[in-house]
Amino acid sequence: KVPFFKYIQFYQSDFSSIKVKAIKLEKLLQNEKKVSLIDMDIQGEEINLVKSEIETLNKKVRAMYIATHSKKIENQMIEFLEKKNWKLTLHLKGETLNKTKFGLIQCQDGVQIWENKNLI
């Protein structure tokens, strides 16, 4: 038995994280024919995952809800996914007050909802 604290990484900024074993999205979805929605909040790695797993996403995933963690990532996601035949159906910009049908929403992280036009 290994003590839980062995897996915790502490930082000078008072933040901490826990190391976990990662698996490729392709492997995670290998037994799935189609996936209705992926809810992605992976702390700045979202564009890297989407780029590396775009073939799997195009074949199997109908929609993605993505929390973006910088304006650069927001823009990269739009540029990349539009070229891959995905449709941006909602974009709430991070660190901004966004006008929605429900009123004003202050977002720390950005929010993007994408539909896969390859599967619609």
Side-chain angles (χ1 to χ4, degrees), residues 6 42 67 74 80 100 104 110:
K6 178 179 180 181
I42 54 176
E74 287 180 31
F80 183 75
T100 72
L104 295 175

Side-chain angles (χ1 to χ4, degrees), residues 23-35:
I23 62 170
K24 292 182 87 38
L25 186 63
E26 178 182 30
K27 183 172 181 171
L28 180 67
L29 301 181
Q30 68 186 357
N31 296 324
E32 304 297 328
K33 289 186 185 195
K34 296 289 183 245
V35 175

